[in-house]
Amino acid sequence: MIEILPRIPLYRAFRGWNRPRLLPMNLTVSLTYRCNSRCRTCNVWKKRSEELSLEEWGRVFASLGRAPYWITFSGGEPLLRADVVEIVERAYAHCRPAIINIPTNGLLPALTTERVAAIVERCPDSQIIVNLSLDGWGEQHDRIRNVPGNFQRAMETYRGVRGLSAPNLTLGVHTVISRYNVDAIPKLYEYVRTLAPDSYITEIAEERVELDTVGSDITPSSEDYSRAIQFVRARLLETSLHGVARVARAFRVQYYDLVQAWLREQRQIIPCYAGWASAQISPEGDVWFCCVQAEPVGNLQEANYDFRRVWFSQRAAAVRKTVRDGACHCPLANAAYTNMLCHYPSLVRAGLTLLGGGMRLRRSGRSLTEPGPALEAVQ
């Protein structure tokens, strides 16, 4: 992560004065809307699109060059695409991202393990992060995902991917905190600890245009979310981590605080850099600043697959002004981490968390798989 720090002042200047003009360092690529889950918090599986082909994605990545530091391949279920390995390989060849993130619902254990193994092998200089979705334990997960046997298959996927031996593979567990599971988050967290994942991350369920969830009432109340996330936050600070994982934790703690503030105040808590440092591409090639508004600033097919033509267009400049003016606000996790990197006070707070967490960890000496003290003991 240190290598991107010199770029931070440039992105701040880009947002403030429109110079220098930069391509995003954080890119989300939605490969498909197809999904074999039927989640209560997501309707993306109902959507249809003409997906960009392997060759088209290759041209897009070539136009981006080495700008993206972090690429997330999402969906739908991204591993449903038969050519997902080749698409990721094209991104790796052209962009050489430091991090490639792939979320999965884990419904296809053998296929997921096979395709992850191929991606890890073909992208040796990128850190491949696979995040397995887990919104409950046992039948609760199946009810939220509306797929009988989902939890069992997710556990099979976890064991399969965990069995892969590769230094550039990280396996995490990811939970969407919604009104359907917010009261069970402490218990779920303790269950997940027994799996000993490399990381455990959560994000709040929100109404997004991309997911067709506007008006769906899936976001938990501020009070319920705060109770759940304070438990997770405290446990996270007890966890013994080192290196990049420890740095990531420092930012994750800040993210949880940002979400609580957003729920209370419903505004941009820190300046948003979606449209400057982060972006998303839809399966049909629309370029969005983020997936919450999902407002196209151009289409890559119409721009001859040249990302720059869309990114620096007049339409993009007009939408940037609305973001800069605070016309939109959201707790989108992917964008939030980029926002914190570009916000000096957040960087300072993350640094203090690193120092404070280090002192706390030296006192506790605990690891992810060991039970921690009660929540009150660390508050």
Side-chain angles (χ1 to χ4, degrees):
M1 186 174 290
I2 294 177
E3 60 266 37
I4 65 172
L5 292 181
R7 298 163 64 177
I8 301 306
L10 302 179
Y11 279 108
R12 288 172 59 89
F14 183 23
R15 189 182 192 276
W17 300 287
N18 201 35
R19 288 290 185 279
R21 301 201 305 176
L22 304 170
L23 295 175
M25 62 177 173
N26 178 2
L27 180 68
T28 298
V29 175
S30 293
L31 295 179
T32 183
Y33 291 136
R34 288 176 287 142
C35 191
N36 45 357
S37 280
R38 297 293 182 265
C39 302
R40 300 176 73 182
T41 57
C42 177
N43 294 316
V44 73
W45 58 273
K46 297 180 179 180
K47 302 176 71 170
R48 299 291 181 267
S49 67
E50 293 293 329
E51 298 169 0
L52 295 186
S53 68
L54 171 62
E55 291 70 24
E56 289 174 311
W57 279 118
R59 294 175 66 181
V60 172
F61 296 136
S63 74
L64 282 159
R66 298 297 180 90
Y69 177 86
W70 180 308
I71 301 181
T72 297
F73 289 93
S74 71
E77 170 56 48
L79 295 172
L80 281 178
R81 280 202 58 154
D83 55 358
V84 62
V85 175
E86 289 74 21
I87 292 175
V88 175
E89 187 177 21
R90 293 287 177 90
Y92 177 79
H94 290 294
C95 304
R96 280 296 193 274
I99 298 170
I100 295 173
N101 181 48
I102 305 172
T104 180
N105 58 32
L107 279 172
L108 300 170
L111 184 66
T112 298
T113 302
E114 174 187 336
R115 289 180 174 170
V116 169
I119 290 170
V120 166
E121 180 180 358
R122 299 189 194 185
C123 307
D125 292 329
S126 291
Q127 187 67 30
I128 311 300
I129 301 174
V130 176
N131 281 318
L132 177 69
S133 295
L134 205 60
D135 293 337
W137 196 261
E139 292 183 0
Q140 184 189 39
H141 180 68
D142 295 354
R143 287 195 301 271
I144 294 174
R145 294 269 159 169
N146 276 319
V147 178
N150 191 327
F151 179 78
Q152 180 179 348
R153 280 185 271 175
M155 292 299 95
E156 292 177 22
T157 297
Y158 184 89
R159 290 190 293 268
V161 176
R162 174 58 82 197
L164 299 175
S165 179
N168 63 326
L169 175 62
T170 296
L171 176 58
V173 173
H174 173 271
T175 295
V176 175
I177 301 180
S178 70
R179 66 183 184 90
Y180 304 115
N181 66 356
V182 64
D183 292 333
I185 291 302
K187 181 179 289 187
L188 175 60
Y189 184 86
E190 298 298 349
Y191 280 137
V192 170
R193 282 160 61 103
T194 67
L195 297 176
D198 297 318
S199 67
Y200 178 56
I201 62 176
T202 73
E203 65 177 302
I204 191 169
E206 57 189 313
E207 299 182 11
R208 301 183 189 176
V209 173
E210 177 202 27
L211 304 183
D212 192 24
T213 54
V214 176
S216 59
D217 189 27
I218 57 176
T219 305
S221 70
S222 176
E223 295 77 11
D224 289 346
Y225 178 81
S226 290
R227 279 195 299 270
I229 209 62
Q230 286 295 340
F231 181 92
V232 173
R233 189 184 189 277
R235 286 291 194 265
L236 187 61
L237 286 171
E238 297 168 7
T239 304
S240 180
L241 296 174
H242 305 281
V244 174
R246 188 174 168 193
V247 175
R249 174 182 58 192
F251 282 95
R252 197 167 301 133
V253 167
Q254 302 306 315
Y255 167 70
Y256 295 152
D257 292 344
L258 283 175
V259 176
Q260 292 179 84
W262 174 81
L263 282 169
R264 293 191 304 268
E265 302 176 33
Q266 295 291 301
R267 64 177 179 86
Q268 282 187 25
I269 304 301
I270 64 175
C272 181
Y273 280 78
W276 291 274
S278 61
Q280 182 157 342
I281 306 174
S282 75
E284 61 267 58
D286 285 339
V287 176
W288 307 330
F289 289 170
C290 81
C291 62
V292 175
Q293 299 289 331
E295 183 174 356
V297 297
N299 182 274
L300 291 166
Q301 289 178 311
E302 297 170 2
N304 198 29
Y305 309 100
D306 185 351
F307 189 89
R308 291 173 179 270
R309 283 180 55 185
V310 175
W311 193 243
F312 299 126
S313 65
Q314 290 184 347
R315 173 61 182 161
V319 177
R320 280 191 186 97
K321 184 178 186 303
T322 68
V323 179
R324 188 188 299 110
D325 292 344
C328 59
H329 53 82
C330 73
L332 181 64
N334 204 343
Y337 291 108
T338 308
N339 297 344
M340 288 184 285
L341 277 172
C342 294
H343 184 242
Y344 290 150
S346 292
L347 283 176
V348 172
R349 284 193 290 270
L352 292 175
T353 300
L354 275 170
L355 293 174
M359 291 185 288
R360 183 191 304 251
L361 292 172
R362 281 193 292 273
R363 289 196 299 268
S364 68
R366 298 186 181 276
S367 67
L368 184 63
T369 56
E370 294 173 339
L375 176 62
E376 292 79 7
V378 294
Q379 290 181 317

PDB file of all heavy atoms in Angstrom, residues 21-24 59-60 62-67 287 297 300 303-314 316 320:
ATOM      1  N   ARG A  21      -5.204  15.209 -14.469  1.00  0.00           N
ATOM      2  CA  ARG A  21      -6.287  14.280 -14.763  1.00  0.00           C
ATOM      3  C   ARG A  21      -5.756  12.857 -14.629  1.00  0.00           C
ATOM      4  O   ARG A  21      -4.797  12.481 -15.295  1.00  0.00           O
ATOM      5  CB  ARG A  21      -6.845  14.542 -16.156  1.00  0.00           C
ATOM      6  CG  ARG A  21      -7.374  15.958 -16.329  1.00  0.00           C
ATOM      7  CD  ARG A  21      -8.353  16.082 -17.471  1.00  0.00           C
ATOM      8  NE  ARG A  21      -7.797  15.603 -18.738  1.00  0.00           N
ATOM      9  CZ  ARG A  21      -8.495  15.538 -19.873  1.00  0.00           C
ATOM     10  NH1 ARG A  21      -9.768  15.911 -19.876  1.00  0.00           N
ATOM     11  NH2 ARG A  21      -7.936  15.115 -20.977  1.00  0.00           N
ATOM     12  N   LEU A  22      -6.388  12.099 -13.752  1.00  0.00           N
ATOM     13  CA  LEU A  22      -5.909  10.756 -13.420  1.00  0.00           C
ATOM     14  C   LEU A  22      -6.978   9.713 -13.677  1.00  0.00           C
ATOM     15  O   LEU A  22      -8.178   9.992 -13.563  1.00  0.00           O
ATOM     16  CB  LEU A  22      -5.508  10.691 -11.938  1.00  0.00           C
ATOM     17  CG  LEU A  22      -4.473  11.696 -11.449  1.00  0.00           C
ATOM     18  CD1 LEU A  22      -4.385  11.647  -9.929  1.00  0.00           C
ATOM     19  CD2 LEU A  22      -3.121  11.400 -12.067  1.00  0.00           C
ATOM     20  N   LEU A  23      -6.547   8.502 -13.970  1.00  0.00           N
ATOM     21  CA  LEU A  23      -7.445   7.360 -14.043  1.00  0.00           C
ATOM     22  C   LEU A  23      -7.612   6.767 -12.647  1.00  0.00           C
ATOM     23  O   LEU A  23      -6.757   6.951 -11.775  1.00  0.00           O
ATOM     24  CB  LEU A  23      -6.887   6.310 -15.007  1.00  0.00           C
ATOM     25  CG  LEU A  23      -6.798   6.737 -16.475  1.00  0.00           C
ATOM     26  CD1 LEU A  23      -6.115   5.654 -17.311  1.00  0.00           C
ATOM     27  CD2 LEU A  23      -8.176   7.058 -17.040  1.00  0.00           C
ATOM     28  N   PRO A  24      -8.691   6.054 -12.372  1.00  0.00           N
ATOM     29  CA  PRO A  24      -8.953   5.569 -11.007  1.00  0.00           C
ATOM     30  C   PRO A  24      -7.953   4.511 -10.565  1.00  0.00           C
ATOM     31  O   PRO A  24      -7.515   3.675 -11.345  1.00  0.00           O
ATOM     32  CB  PRO A  24     -10.362   4.983 -11.113  1.00  0.00           C
ATOM     33  CG  PRO A  24     -10.522   4.628 -12.557  1.00  0.00           C
ATOM     34  CD  PRO A  24      -9.767   5.676 -13.316  1.00  0.00           C
ATOM     35  N   ARG A  59      -9.681  -4.946 -24.365  1.00  0.00           N
ATOM     36  CA  ARG A  59      -9.442  -3.604 -24.892  1.00  0.00           C
ATOM     37  C   ARG A  59      -9.650  -2.531 -23.816  1.00  0.00           C
ATOM     38  O   ARG A  59      -8.920  -1.539 -23.757  1.00  0.00           O
ATOM     39  CB  ARG A  59     -10.366  -3.353 -26.084  1.00  0.00           C
ATOM     40  CG  ARG A  59     -10.055  -4.242 -27.284  1.00  0.00           C
ATOM     41  CD  ARG A  59     -11.052  -4.055 -28.411  1.00  0.00           C
ATOM     42  NE  ARG A  59     -10.968  -2.716 -28.995  1.00  0.00           N
ATOM     43  CZ  ARG A  59     -11.758  -2.301 -29.991  1.00  0.00           C
ATOM     44  NH1 ARG A  59     -12.689  -3.115 -30.482  1.00  0.00           N
ATOM     45  NH2 ARG A  59     -11.619  -1.089 -30.494  1.00  0.00           N
ATOM     46  N   VAL A  60     -10.636  -2.756 -22.957  1.00  0.00           N
ATOM     47  CA  VAL A  60     -10.866  -1.810 -21.849  1.00  0.00           C
ATOM     48  C   VAL A  60      -9.660  -1.778 -20.917  1.00  0.00           C
ATOM     49  O   VAL A  60      -9.165  -0.700 -20.547  1.00  0.00           O
ATOM     50  CB  VAL A  60     -12.137  -2.201 -21.070  1.00  0.00           C
ATOM     51  CG1 VAL A  60     -12.265  -1.346 -19.808  1.00  0.00           C
ATOM     52  CG2 VAL A  60     -13.378  -2.045 -21.946  1.00  0.00           C
ATOM     53  N   ALA A  62      -6.612  -2.582 -21.546  1.00  0.00           N
ATOM     54  CA  ALA A  62      -5.462  -1.981 -22.236  1.00  0.00           C
ATOM     55  C   ALA A  62      -5.533  -0.457 -22.164  1.00  0.00           C
ATOM     56  O   ALA A  62      -4.502   0.218 -22.011  1.00  0.00           O
ATOM     57  CB  ALA A  62      -5.417  -2.455 -23.684  1.00  0.00           C
ATOM     58  N   SER A  63      -6.749   0.092 -22.245  1.00  0.00           N
ATOM     59  CA  SER A  63      -6.886   1.557 -22.190  1.00  0.00           C
ATOM     60  C   SER A  63      -6.636   2.104 -20.789  1.00  0.00           C
ATOM     61  O   SER A  63      -6.271   3.259 -20.624  1.00  0.00           O
ATOM     62  CB  SER A  63      -8.292   1.969 -22.661  1.00  0.00           C
ATOM     63  OG  SER A  63      -9.277   1.682 -21.682  1.00  0.00           O
ATOM     64  N   LEU A  64      -6.825   1.261 -19.767  1.00  0.00           N
ATOM     65  CA  LEU A  64      -6.581   1.683 -18.387  1.00  0.00           C
ATOM     66  C   LEU A  64      -5.105   1.632 -18.015  1.00  0.00           C
ATOM     67  O   LEU A  64      -4.627   2.388 -17.170  1.00  0.00           O
ATOM     68  CB  LEU A  64      -7.374   0.794 -17.425  1.00  0.00           C
ATOM     69  CG  LEU A  64      -8.862   1.116 -17.301  1.00  0.00           C
ATOM     70  CD1 LEU A  64      -9.628  -0.090 -16.769  1.00  0.00           C
ATOM     71  CD2 LEU A  64      -9.069   2.316 -16.397  1.00  0.00           C
ATOM     72  N   GLY A  65      -4.363   0.711 -18.623  1.00  0.00           N
ATOM     73  CA  GLY A  65      -2.942   0.590 -18.323  1.00  0.00           C
ATOM     74  C   GLY A  65      -2.692   0.260 -16.861  1.00  0.00           C
ATOM     75  O   GLY A  65      -3.454  -0.461 -16.230  1.00  0.00           O
ATOM     76  N   ARG A  66      -1.625   0.810 -16.308  1.00  0.00           N
ATOM     77  CA  ARG A  66      -1.213   0.466 -14.941  1.00  0.00           C
ATOM     78  C   ARG A  66      -1.889   1.319 -13.863  1.00  0.00           C
ATOM     79  O   ARG A  66      -1.442   1.306 -12.710  1.00  0.00           O
ATOM     80  CB  ARG A  66       0.306   0.603 -14.821  1.00  0.00           C
ATOM     81  CG  ARG A  66       1.090  -0.345 -15.734  1.00  0.00           C
ATOM     82  CD  ARG A  66       0.829  -1.803 -15.372  1.00  0.00           C
ATOM     83  NE  ARG A  66       1.545  -2.738 -16.211  1.00  0.00           N
ATOM     84  CZ  ARG A  66       2.755  -3.204 -15.960  1.00  0.00           C
ATOM     85  NH1 ARG A  66       3.397  -2.805 -14.879  1.00  0.00           N
ATOM     86  NH2 ARG A  66       3.333  -4.069 -16.774  1.00  0.00           N
ATOM     87  N   ALA A  67      -2.944   2.050 -14.208  1.00  0.00           N
ATOM     88  CA  ALA A  67      -3.578   2.929 -13.215  1.00  0.00           C
ATOM     89  C   ALA A  67      -4.219   2.182 -12.059  1.00  0.00           C
ATOM     90  O   ALA A  67      -4.024   2.550 -10.895  1.00  0.00           O
ATOM     91  CB  ALA A  67      -4.613   3.833 -13.899  1.00  0.00           C
ATOM     92  N   VAL A 287     -19.947   3.143 -17.600  1.00  0.00           N
ATOM     93  CA  VAL A 287     -19.019   3.586 -16.562  1.00  0.00           C
ATOM     94  C   VAL A 287     -19.799   4.385 -15.527  1.00  0.00           C
ATOM     95  O   VAL A 287     -20.482   5.357 -15.866  1.00  0.00           O
ATOM     96  CB  VAL A 287     -17.883   4.446 -17.148  1.00  0.00           C
ATOM     97  CG1 VAL A 287     -16.983   4.981 -16.043  1.00  0.00           C
ATOM     98  CG2 VAL A 287     -17.060   3.639 -18.148  1.00  0.00           C
ATOM     99  N   VAL A 297     -21.850   7.687 -16.975  1.00  0.00           N
ATOM    100  CA  VAL A 297     -21.225   8.887 -17.538  1.00  0.00           C
ATOM    101  C   VAL A 297     -20.749   8.608 -18.966  1.00  0.00           C
ATOM    102  O   VAL A 297     -20.144   9.480 -19.595  1.00  0.00           O
ATOM    103  CB  VAL A 297     -20.043   9.370 -16.660  1.00  0.00           C
ATOM    104  CG1 VAL A 297     -20.550   9.781 -15.284  1.00  0.00           C
ATOM    105  CG2 VAL A 297     -18.969   8.299 -16.530  1.00  0.00           C
ATOM    106  N   LEU A 300     -18.581   2.258 -22.786  1.00  0.00           N
ATOM    107  CA  LEU A 300     -17.288   1.930 -23.379  1.00  0.00           C
ATOM    108  C   LEU A 300     -17.411   1.393 -24.797  1.00  0.00           C
ATOM    109  O   LEU A 300     -16.504   1.608 -25.617  1.00  0.00           O
ATOM    110  CB  LEU A 300     -16.549   0.929 -22.487  1.00  0.00           C
ATOM    111  CG  LEU A 300     -16.077   1.522 -21.156  1.00  0.00           C
ATOM    112  CD1 LEU A 300     -15.670   0.435 -20.180  1.00  0.00           C
ATOM    113  CD2 LEU A 300     -14.918   2.488 -21.390  1.00  0.00           C
ATOM    114  N   ALA A 303     -17.526   4.319 -26.908  1.00  0.00           N
ATOM    115  CA  ALA A 303     -16.261   5.067 -26.881  1.00  0.00           C
ATOM    116  C   ALA A 303     -15.103   4.247 -27.441  1.00  0.00           C
ATOM    117  O   ALA A 303     -13.937   4.551 -27.168  1.00  0.00           O
ATOM    118  CB  ALA A 303     -15.951   5.503 -25.461  1.00  0.00           C
ATOM    119  N   ASN A 304     -15.424   3.199 -28.209  1.00  0.00           N
ATOM    120  CA  ASN A 304     -14.393   2.336 -28.806  1.00  0.00           C
ATOM    121  C   ASN A 304     -13.511   1.706 -27.725  1.00  0.00           C
ATOM    122  O   ASN A 304     -12.310   1.529 -27.918  1.00  0.00           O
ATOM    123  CB  ASN A 304     -13.543   3.115 -29.821  1.00  0.00           C
ATOM    124  CG  ASN A 304     -12.788   2.199 -30.761  1.00  0.00           C
ATOM    125  OD1 ASN A 304     -13.231   1.081 -31.051  1.00  0.00           O
ATOM    126  ND2 ASN A 304     -11.629   2.653 -31.231  1.00  0.00           N
ATOM    127  N   TYR A 305     -14.115   1.439 -26.544  1.00  0.00           N
ATOM    128  CA  TYR A 305     -13.468   0.746 -25.419  1.00  0.00           C
ATOM    129  C   TYR A 305     -12.316   1.541 -24.809  1.00  0.00           C
ATOM    130  O   TYR A 305     -11.462   0.987 -24.123  1.00  0.00           O
ATOM    131  CB  TYR A 305     -13.005  -0.653 -25.846  1.00  0.00           C
ATOM    132  CG  TYR A 305     -14.110  -1.424 -26.498  1.00  0.00           C
ATOM    133  CD1 TYR A 305     -14.189  -1.529 -27.885  1.00  0.00           C
ATOM    134  CD2 TYR A 305     -15.103  -1.997 -25.737  1.00  0.00           C
ATOM    135  CE1 TYR A 305     -15.241  -2.207 -28.488  1.00  0.00           C
ATOM    136  CE2 TYR A 305     -16.166  -2.676 -26.329  1.00  0.00           C
ATOM    137  CZ  TYR A 305     -16.221  -2.778 -27.694  1.00  0.00           C
ATOM    138  OH  TYR A 305     -17.269  -3.440 -28.286  1.00  0.00           O
ATOM    139  N   ASP A 306     -12.320   2.848 -25.055  1.00  0.00           N
ATOM    140  CA  ASP A 306     -11.297   3.735 -24.496  1.00  0.00           C
ATOM    141  C   ASP A 306     -11.834   4.346 -23.203  1.00  0.00           C
ATOM    142  O   ASP A 306     -12.657   5.272 -23.235  1.00  0.00           O
ATOM    143  CB  ASP A 306     -10.943   4.827 -25.506  1.00  0.00           C
ATOM    144  CG  ASP A 306      -9.793   5.713 -25.040  1.00  0.00           C
ATOM    145  OD1 ASP A 306      -9.378   5.598 -23.857  1.00  0.00           O
ATOM    146  OD2 ASP A 306      -9.310   6.530 -25.842  1.00  0.00           O
ATOM    147  N   PHE A 307     -11.371   3.855 -22.081  1.00  0.00           N
ATOM    148  CA  PHE A 307     -11.858   4.333 -20.796  1.00  0.00           C
ATOM    149  C   PHE A 307     -11.621   5.830 -20.631  1.00  0.00           C
ATOM    150  O   PHE A 307     -12.448   6.538 -20.059  1.00  0.00           O
ATOM    151  CB  PHE A 307     -11.176   3.559 -19.660  1.00  0.00           C
ATOM    152  CG  PHE A 307     -11.767   3.812 -18.300  1.00  0.00           C
ATOM    153  CD1 PHE A 307     -12.811   3.044 -17.815  1.00  0.00           C
ATOM    154  CD2 PHE A 307     -11.279   4.837 -17.497  1.00  0.00           C
ATOM    155  CE1 PHE A 307     -13.371   3.284 -16.560  1.00  0.00           C
ATOM    156  CE2 PHE A 307     -11.822   5.084 -16.240  1.00  0.00           C
ATOM    157  CZ  PHE A 307     -12.872   4.310 -15.777  1.00  0.00           C
ATOM    158  N   ARG A 308     -10.517   6.334 -21.140  1.00  0.00           N
ATOM    159  CA  ARG A 308     -10.185   7.753 -20.987  1.00  0.00           C
ATOM    160  C   ARG A 308     -11.242   8.652 -21.617  1.00  0.00           C
ATOM    161  O   ARG A 308     -11.572   9.717 -21.076  1.00  0.00           O
ATOM    162  CB  ARG A 308      -8.822   8.054 -21.623  1.00  0.00           C
ATOM    163  CG  ARG A 308      -7.646   7.433 -20.882  1.00  0.00           C
ATOM    164  CD  ARG A 308      -6.350   7.633 -21.653  1.00  0.00           C
ATOM    165  NE  ARG A 308      -5.221   7.067 -20.944  1.00  0.00           N
ATOM    166  CZ  ARG A 308      -4.484   7.716 -20.061  1.00  0.00           C
ATOM    167  NH1 ARG A 308      -4.750   8.992 -19.807  1.00  0.00           N
ATOM    168  NH2 ARG A 308      -3.474   7.128 -19.457  1.00  0.00           N
ATOM    169  N   ARG A 309     -11.760   8.255 -22.783  1.00  0.00           N
ATOM    170  CA  ARG A 309     -12.758   9.084 -23.465  1.00  0.00           C
ATOM    171  C   ARG A 309     -13.998   9.270 -22.601  1.00  0.00           C
ATOM    172  O   ARG A 309     -14.600  10.348 -22.589  1.00  0.00           O
ATOM    173  CB  ARG A 309     -13.143   8.451 -24.805  1.00  0.00           C
ATOM    174  CG  ARG A 309     -12.114   8.659 -25.908  1.00  0.00           C
ATOM    175  CD  ARG A 309     -12.565   8.013 -27.201  1.00  0.00           C
ATOM    176  NE  ARG A 309     -13.884   8.475 -27.632  1.00  0.00           N
ATOM    177  CZ  ARG A 309     -14.532   7.987 -28.686  1.00  0.00           C
ATOM    178  NH1 ARG A 309     -13.988   6.990 -29.394  1.00  0.00           N
ATOM    179  NH2 ARG A 309     -15.705   8.446 -29.031  1.00  0.00           N
ATOM    180  N   VAL A 310     -14.380   8.242 -21.885  1.00  0.00           N
ATOM    181  CA  VAL A 310     -15.544   8.343 -21.003  1.00  0.00           C
ATOM    182  C   VAL A 310     -15.182   9.083 -19.712  1.00  0.00           C
ATOM    183  O   VAL A 310     -15.900   9.978 -19.271  1.00  0.00           O
ATOM    184  CB  VAL A 310     -16.088   6.939 -20.667  1.00  0.00           C
ATOM    185  CG1 VAL A 310     -17.221   7.035 -19.659  1.00  0.00           C
ATOM    186  CG2 VAL A 310     -16.547   6.230 -21.936  1.00  0.00           C
ATOM    187  N   TRP A 311     -14.070   8.734 -19.121  1.00  0.00           N
ATOM    188  CA  TRP A 311     -13.662   9.258 -17.808  1.00  0.00           C
ATOM    189  C   TRP A 311     -13.427  10.763 -17.835  1.00  0.00           C
ATOM    190  O   TRP A 311     -13.699  11.458 -16.844  1.00  0.00           O
ATOM    191  CB  TRP A 311     -12.416   8.520 -17.361  1.00  0.00           C
ATOM    192  CG  TRP A 311     -12.018   8.691 -15.920  1.00  0.00           C
ATOM    193  CD1 TRP A 311     -10.873   9.258 -15.440  1.00  0.00           C
ATOM    194  CD2 TRP A 311     -12.751   8.250 -14.763  1.00  0.00           C
ATOM    195  NE1 TRP A 311     -10.841   9.198 -14.070  1.00  0.00           N
ATOM    196  CE2 TRP A 311     -11.986   8.578 -13.625  1.00  0.00           C
ATOM    197  CE3 TRP A 311     -13.973   7.607 -14.587  1.00  0.00           C
ATOM    198  CZ2 TRP A 311     -12.399   8.295 -12.320  1.00  0.00           C
ATOM    199  CZ3 TRP A 311     -14.385   7.329 -13.292  1.00  0.00           C
ATOM    200  CH2 TRP A 311     -13.604   7.662 -12.189  1.00  0.00           C
ATOM    201  N   PHE A 312     -12.933  11.264 -18.932  1.00  0.00           N
ATOM    202  CA  PHE A 312     -12.630  12.695 -19.035  1.00  0.00           C
ATOM    203  C   PHE A 312     -13.638  13.436 -19.905  1.00  0.00           C
ATOM    204  O   PHE A 312     -13.351  14.522 -20.420  1.00  0.00           O
ATOM    205  CB  PHE A 312     -11.214  12.893 -19.583  1.00  0.00           C
ATOM    206  CG  PHE A 312     -10.144  12.298 -18.715  1.00  0.00           C
ATOM    207  CD1 PHE A 312      -9.214  11.414 -19.239  1.00  0.00           C
ATOM    208  CD2 PHE A 312     -10.075  12.592 -17.363  1.00  0.00           C
ATOM    209  CE1 PHE A 312      -8.226  10.847 -18.444  1.00  0.00           C
ATOM    210  CE2 PHE A 312      -9.100  12.036 -16.553  1.00  0.00           C
ATOM    211  CZ  PHE A 312      -8.169  11.164 -17.099  1.00  0.00           C
ATOM    212  N   SER A 313     -14.828  12.886 -20.062  1.00  0.00           N
ATOM    213  CA  SER A 313     -15.861  13.504 -20.892  1.00  0.00           C
ATOM    214  C   SER A 313     -16.557  14.650 -20.149  1.00  0.00           C
ATOM    215  O   SER A 313     -16.436  14.795 -18.917  1.00  0.00           O
ATOM    216  CB  SER A 313     -16.905  12.458 -21.284  1.00  0.00           C
ATOM    217  OG  SER A 313     -17.609  11.997 -20.129  1.00  0.00           O
ATOM    218  N   GLN A 314     -17.309  15.452 -20.892  1.00  0.00           N
ATOM    219  CA  GLN A 314     -18.069  16.535 -20.274  1.00  0.00           C
ATOM    220  C   GLN A 314     -19.138  15.987 -19.328  1.00  0.00           C
ATOM    221  O   GLN A 314     -19.418  16.585 -18.285  1.00  0.00           O
ATOM    222  CB  GLN A 314     -18.710  17.403 -21.362  1.00  0.00           C
ATOM    223  CG  GLN A 314     -17.714  18.236 -22.150  1.00  0.00           C
ATOM    224  CD  GLN A 314     -18.392  19.162 -23.145  1.00  0.00           C
ATOM    225  OE1 GLN A 314     -19.585  19.033 -23.421  1.00  0.00           O
ATOM    226  NE2 GLN A 314     -17.628  20.095 -23.695  1.00  0.00           N
ATOM    227  N   ALA A 316     -18.935  13.267 -17.552  1.00  0.00           N
ATOM    228  CA  ALA A 316     -18.259  12.881 -16.314  1.00  0.00           C
ATOM    229  C   ALA A 316     -17.956  14.109 -15.458  1.00  0.00           C
ATOM    230  O   ALA A 316     -18.116  14.081 -14.231  1.00  0.00           O
ATOM    231  CB  ALA A 316     -16.983  12.112 -16.629  1.00  0.00           C
ATOM    232  N   ARG A 320     -19.249  14.776 -11.674  1.00  0.00           N
ATOM    233  CA  ARG A 320     -18.267  15.029 -10.613  1.00  0.00           C
ATOM    234  C   ARG A 320     -18.665  16.235  -9.767  1.00  0.00           C
ATOM    235  O   ARG A 320     -18.479  16.246  -8.552  1.00  0.00           O
ATOM    236  CB  ARG A 320     -16.877  15.265 -11.215  1.00  0.00           C
ATOM    237  CG  ARG A 320     -16.144  14.004 -11.597  1.00  0.00           C
ATOM    238  CD  ARG A 320     -14.690  14.250 -11.948  1.00  0.00           C
ATOM    239  NE  ARG A 320     -14.118  13.020 -12.430  1.00  0.00           N
ATOM    240  CZ  ARG A 320     -13.988  12.698 -13.719  1.00  0.00           C
ATOM    241  NH1 ARG A 320     -14.364  13.568 -14.653  1.00  0.00           N
ATOM    242  NH2 ARG A 320     -13.482  11.536 -14.070  1.00  0.00           N
TER     243      ARG A 320
END
